[in-house]
């Protein structure tokens, strides 16, 4: 846990330093060094850390994009950052309806992912819930109980 906090602190410092860079050449050099620092086996041609990162992006795009590329959907960002959850509970919520004045909206799908790895500042067994309130396949992260029973 202490090691992970140290890593996250270091990552924040790197992000801040990257934003201060002025030229494309400086940024390219920084990115090259970024991946080299994370290479678990620098004596090999492959950088397993970088490969895993891009594998997660591809998986997120294939499974969570719903029209939002590069893992920028809520589900994609969580997957890329923390990896696969220990448990994934996908279920349909009880069909309900809400009167918006002109028509009734039905929401009957929600997805919940449970027990992600340790998240700095939160802990272990973190429960993150995603819902699709628009019925378009675009799930977003929520902690609002009313979104689950629209």
């Amino acid at each position: 846990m202490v090691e992970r906090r140290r890593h996250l602190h270091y990552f924040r410092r790197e992000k801040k330093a990257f934003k201060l860079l002025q030229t494309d050449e400086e940024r390219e050099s920084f990115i090259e060094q970024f991946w080299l620092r994370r290479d678990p086996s620098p004596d090999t041609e492959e950088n397993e850390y970088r490969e895993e990162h891009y594998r997660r992006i591809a998986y997120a795009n294939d499974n969570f994009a719903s029209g939002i590329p590069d893992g920028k959907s809520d589900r994609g960002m969580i997957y890329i950052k923390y990896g696969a959850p220990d448990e994934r509970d996908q279920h349909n919520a009880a069909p309900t309806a809400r009167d918006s004045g002109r028509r009734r909206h039905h929401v009957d799908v929600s997805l919940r992912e449970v027990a992600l790895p340790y998240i700095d500042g939160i802990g272990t067994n973190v429960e993150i819930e995603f819902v699709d309130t628009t019925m378009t396949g675009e799930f977003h992260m929520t902690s609002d109980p009313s979104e689950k029973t629209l």
Side-chain angles (χ1 to χ4, degrees), residues 4-144:
R4 180 149 176 92
R5 285 184 184 167
R6 190 174 313 133
H7 172 74
L8 289 171
H9 176 70
Y10 186 72
F11 181 75
R12 287 183 190 119
R13 285 194 338 228
E14 283 180 320
K15 188 174 179 180
K16 191 175 186 178
F18 183 81
K19 289 180 179 184
L20 296 174
L21 299 175
Q22 301 290 314
T23 67
D24 288 342
E25 185 177 283
E26 289 175 326
R27 287 185 278 277
E28 286 175 26
S29 177
F30 182 95
I31 290 168
E32 183 179 330
Q33 292 301 311
F34 174 90
W35 290 120
L36 287 172
R37 284 189 296 274
R38 285 159 177 77
D39 190 350
S41 49
D43 296 335
T44 64
E45 282 189 37
E46 294 149 10
N47 183 327
E48 297 82 1
Y49 184 92
R50 180 177 55 209
E51 288 177 12
E52 174 63 12
H53 177 75
Y54 286 112
R55 185 200 64 74
R56 288 181 185 185
I57 289 173
Y59 183 89
N61 285 337
D62 289 345
N63 293 279
F64 306 131
S66 68
I68 303 172
D70 299 327
K72 292 183 177 154
S73 69
D74 285 354
R75 288 166 56 202
M77 287 188 299
I78 294 295
Y79 179 82
I80 292 166
K81 189 169 184 175
Y82 300 109
D86 295 335
E87 182 182 333
R88 184 174 178 198
D89 177 23
Q90 187 170 1
H91 64 280
N92 291 334
T96 59
R98 176 177 60 123
D99 189 352
S100 69
R102 285 187 266 172
R103 62 183 183 165
R104 295 178 69 77
H105 298 275
H106 293 278
V107 177
D108 65 357
V109 177
S110 66
L111 175 85
R112 182 172 58 209
E113 294 189 352
V114 184
L116 292 174
Y118 174 81
I119 297 177
D120 188 44
I122 298 175
T124 58
N125 296 324
V126 176
E127 187 173 305
I128 299 177
E129 191 157 3
F130 301 92
V131 296
D132 176 6
T133 56
T134 60
M135 300 302 292
T136 61
E138 190 172 313
F139 289 83
H140 65 274
M141 195 170 6
T142 187
S143 61
D144 182 354

